[in-house]
Amino acid sequence: MANILVLYYTQTGNTQKMAEAVVEGAKSVQGVTVELSYHVSSEALGEYDALLIGAPTYHHDMTAEIKTMFEEAAQKNVNLKGKIGAAFGSYGWSGEAPKLVLEIMKNKFAMNATEAPVLSKYAPDEATLQKCRELGIRVARAIPISSDSSRALFVQAEKNEEVKDNAKYACSVCGYVYDPILGDPDSGIQPGTPFEKLPENWVCPVCGASKDQFDRKN
């Protein structure tokens, strides 16, 4: 079971609302556990497969609490290499903090932090909260499954149908990748279902794009 940490700091409650939406999205994906927290020790960061940091911007910078956590993790050689990282946060004027968090994740800890940050000027509206949910979904889906889980999916795929065309297809709108070996269980699509055999009314589970908006990857 993959573990996701959604960690945030807030004074006004705006970034907390974003964090709760991120958690909502991540929890909608099967096979992951999601923890929402206001504080964790720097050593505990290494226990998670993905870290999503809610960092509001104060005076053109991230908060001292988040900065200290990263500094302590570096001093204690906490290994975060290859783990998935993402950031989000509210701001009043500039919004640098989530971007700074991503730079630290990538440059200091060699994390896989490729998602653009989700930003909200002051209180997040429903559109921004939906972006937070989609961020949670994408991160949860991006976590590599364990070898045992992968083997189980292959066995299930063989039982359902031989996958003659195992080509992956990418959504041209949001980048989500449909893998026929994994299927889309959250949408009722069993592992082993080729893209061509998806129902015509199937849509991207992240952004809702239709099948004709997907492009073959291999």
Side-chain angles (χ1 to χ4, degrees), residues 15 55 67-69 77 85 94 101 121 136 147 194 196 202 208 210 213:
T15 299
K67 187 179 295 185
T68 299
M69 178 189 69
N77 295 315
S94 50
V101 168
K121 189 169 185 178
S147 58
E196 291 78 3
W202 179 83
S210 59
Q213 293 178 283

Side-chain angles (χ1 to χ4, degrees), residues 52-159:
L52 294 98
I53 307 296
T57 300
Y58 297 126
H59 306 295
H60 304 282
D61 202 353
M62 71 182 79
T63 64
E65 289 82 357
I66 294 175
K67 187 179 295 185
T68 299
M69 178 189 69
F70 279 127
E71 290 174 349
E72 290 180 353
Q75 292 171 358
K76 296 176 181 178
N77 295 315
V78 177
N79 184 12
L80 302 178
K81 184 176 182 180
K83 295 181 183 291
I84 297 174
F88 57 92
S90 65
Y91 67 97
W93 291 275
S94 50
E96 294 96 337
K99 301 172 186 176
L100 294 173
V101 168
L102 291 177
E103 288 180 6
I104 291 173
M105 286 178 166
K106 289 186 288 188
N107 300 329
K108 184 67 175 179
F109 294 98
M111 295 179 67
N112 179 11
T114 59
E115 289 282 350
V118 177
L119 305 176
S120 175
K121 189 169 185 178
Y122 302 115
D125 57 16
E126 180 54 35
T128 301
L129 293 177
Q130 181 58 28
K131 290 181 180 179
C132 291
R133 296 185 191 101
E134 292 171 358
L135 176 65
I137 291 172
R138 289 196 301 273
V139 169
R141 288 183 177 275
I143 298 174
I145 58 177
S146 67
S147 58
D148 289 341
S149 298
S150 179
R151 189 178 303 110
L153 287 170
F154 273 103
V155 170
Q156 185 173 352
E158 289 176 354
K159 289 180 178 179

Side-chain angles (χ1 to χ4, degrees), residues 8-16 38 56-59 63 65 90:
Y8 71 96
Y9 181 87
T10 189
Q11 285 187 349
T12 62
N14 293 334
T15 299
Q16 179 180 354
Y38 191 77
T57 300
Y58 297 126
H59 306 295
T63 64
E65 289 82 357
S90 65

Side-chain angles (χ1 to χ4, degrees), residues 16-71:
Q16 179 180 354
K17 293 176 183 177
M18 299 176 74
E20 291 169 347
V22 170
V23 169
E24 181 183 348
K27 282 187 173 180
S28 70
V29 177
Q30 293 182 349
V32 299
T33 59
V34 187
E35 180 180 336
L36 176 65
S37 181
Y38 191 77
H39 173 77
V40 296
S41 66
S42 57
E43 296 96 327
L45 296 178
E47 300 173 3
Y48 299 91
D49 300 293
L51 306 175
L52 294 98
I53 307 296
T57 300
Y58 297 126
H59 306 295
H60 304 282
D61 202 353
M62 71 182 79
T63 64
E65 289 82 357
I66 294 175
K67 187 179 295 185
T68 299
M69 178 189 69
F70 279 127
E71 290 174 349

